[in-house]
C-alpha cells in the first residue's frame, strides 16, 4: 500500500475501527412464517415461497407450487390448503375462516390482488387479477373468473363455467350478473339465504345498517386481536 492509498484508507475508516469490518445489515432469508394458535405453516420442499410472502397458521403448500411476492396466506380462522403446481401471484390474499376452510386443488392460478376467503377451488381453475371469491363459494374444475369479477357468498360455479370480467356470480347454481345490477344481485343473495354481516360477523339483520356495522366491527376487531396476540414469527422455509 503506498502513502496515498494509506491516507485515503485512514480517512474512510472511523477512528479506532482500523482493520474492523463495518456491521452488515441483517437480511431475512425467506418468507415470514407465523405460528398461530400452535399451528405452523407447512411448505413442500419442491414449492417456492417468495421472501416477501406471509404464511400464518395452518397453511399447507403443495409440491411445485409458487407463492409470489406480497401474497398473504392466513389460516387465522380455518386452514388454508394449496395443492400442487399452483401459482398464487403477487399480493393475493387467501384466508380460511372458522366456518369454511380454504381449499385449493392442483394447477390453480390466483392472479395479482385476487382475494379468496373460505372457499373451495377445484383443479385447474383460473382466477384473474383483482377477482374475489367469497365465503362458502365453490368453483368447479377448470372454471375461470375473469378480471375483477366476484363469486359471491355461497355461489356454486359449475365446472368449466366462466364468470366474465367485472360480473358477479350469485346462487346455487351460480348465475352471473353484469355490473350495475345491484338489485338483482341482492335478490339472488336473499333467495340463497346469504347476507354478509349476519353470516360473516354474526350480526342480526334487524336494526339499522349503522348499528349493524358498529356491532360487526366491535366483534371483528376483538376477535382479530384475541386470535393474533400470541402469534410467533418462526423464521423462513
Amino acid at each position: 500500500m503506498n502513502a496515498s492509498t494509506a491516507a485515503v484508507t485512514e480517512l474512510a475508516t472511523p477512528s479506532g475501527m482500523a482493520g474492523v469490518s463495518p456491521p452488515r445489515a441483517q437480511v431475512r432469508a425467506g418468507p415470514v412464517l407465523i405460528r398461530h394458535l400452535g399451528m405452523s405453516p407447512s411448505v413442500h420442499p419442491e414449492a417456492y415461497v417468495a421472501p416477501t410472502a406471509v404464511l400464518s397458521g395452518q397453511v399447507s403448500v403443495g409440491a411445485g407450487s409458487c407463492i409470489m411476492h406480497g401474497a398473504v396466506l392466513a389460516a387465522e380462522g380455518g386452514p388454508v390448503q394449496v395443492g400442487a403446481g399452483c401459482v398464487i401471484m403477487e399480493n393475493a390474499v387467501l384466508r380460511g375462516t372458522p366456518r369454511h376452510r380454504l381449499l385449493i386443488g392442483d394447477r390453480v392460478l390466483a392472479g395479482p390482488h385476487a382475494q379468496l376467503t373460505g372457499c373451495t377451488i377445484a383443479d385447474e381453475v383460473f382466477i384473474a387479477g383483482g377477482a374475489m371469491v367469497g365465503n362458502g363459494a365453490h368453483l368447479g374444475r377448470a372454471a375461470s373468473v375473469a378480471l375483477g369479477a366476484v363469486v359471491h357468498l355461497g355461489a356454486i360455479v359449475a365446472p368449466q363455467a366462466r364468470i366474465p370480467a367485472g360480473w358477479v356470480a350469485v346462487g346455487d347454481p351460480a348465475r352471473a350478473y353484469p355490473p350495475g345490477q345491484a338489485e338483482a344481485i341482492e335478490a339472488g343473495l336473499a333467495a340463497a339465504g346469504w347476507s354478509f354481516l349476519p353470516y360473516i360477523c354474526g350480526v342480526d339483520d334487524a336494526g339499522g345498517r349503522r348499528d349493524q356495522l358498529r356491532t360487526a366491527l366491535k366483534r371483528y376487531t376483538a376477535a382479530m386481536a384475541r386470535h393474533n396476540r400470541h402469534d410467533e414469527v418462526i423464521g423462513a422455509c
Side-chain angles (χ1 to χ4, degrees):
M1 179 184 294
N2 59 37
S4 176
T5 303
V8 171
T9 301
E10 183 177 354
L11 288 173
T13 304
S15 177
M17 294 293 289
V20 178
S21 299
R24 295 182 179 180
Q26 293 186 353
V27 178
R28 183 164 48 81
V32 177
L33 303 180
I34 299 172
R35 181 180 291 116
H36 174 73
L37 298 179
M39 304 298 292
S40 302
S42 172
V43 178
H44 193 280
E46 296 178 4
Y48 169 75
V49 182
T52 55
V54 177
L55 278 60
S56 178
Q58 192 178 352
V59 174
S60 64
V61 179
S65 288
C66 294
I67 312 298
M68 303 307 294
H69 289 280
V72 176
L73 282 63
E76 297 175 354
V80 172
Q81 177 179 316
V82 177
C86 297
V87 178
I88 309 300
M89 295 191 70
E90 290 82 358
N91 301 309
V93 177
L94 282 60
R95 286 185 175 275
T97 75
R99 296 184 66 176
H100 294 103
R101 60 182 61 196
L102 176 57
L103 301 177
I104 296 179
D106 298 335
R107 299 174 299 280
V108 170
L109 184 142
H113 297 279
Q115 298 183 46
L116 283 63
T117 304
C119 52
T120 299
I121 311 296
D123 296 345
E124 301 172 2
V125 168
F126 176 86
I127 301 169
M132 301 176 65
V133 184
N135 302 61
H138 185 285
L139 295 179
R141 182 180 178 278
S144 64
V145 183
L147 289 167
V150 175
V151 179
H152 224 303
L153 304 174
I156 308 299
V157 177
Q160 301 184 24
R162 183 178 184 275
I163 310 303
W167 285 44
V168 179
V170 177
D172 177 10
R175 177 180 175 184
Y177 296 88
Q181 293 197 10
E183 292 183 359
I185 293 168
E186 290 178 3
L189 285 170
W194 293 84
S195 184
F196 186 83
L197 288 178
Y199 190 80
I200 304 302
C201 302
V203 175
D204 195 332
D205 255 339
R209 181 73 174 180
R210 183 179 182 184
D211 290 338
Q212 289 178 0
L213 187 57
R214 285 182 173 180
T215 301
L217 288 177
K218 183 177 180 180
R219 292 184 184 180
Y220 199 51
T221 54
M224 294 292 282
R226 182 172 63 252
H227 277 290
N228 293 280
R229 186 170 287 117
H230 302 294
D231 285 358
E232 177 187 359
V233 177
I234 57 176
C237 301

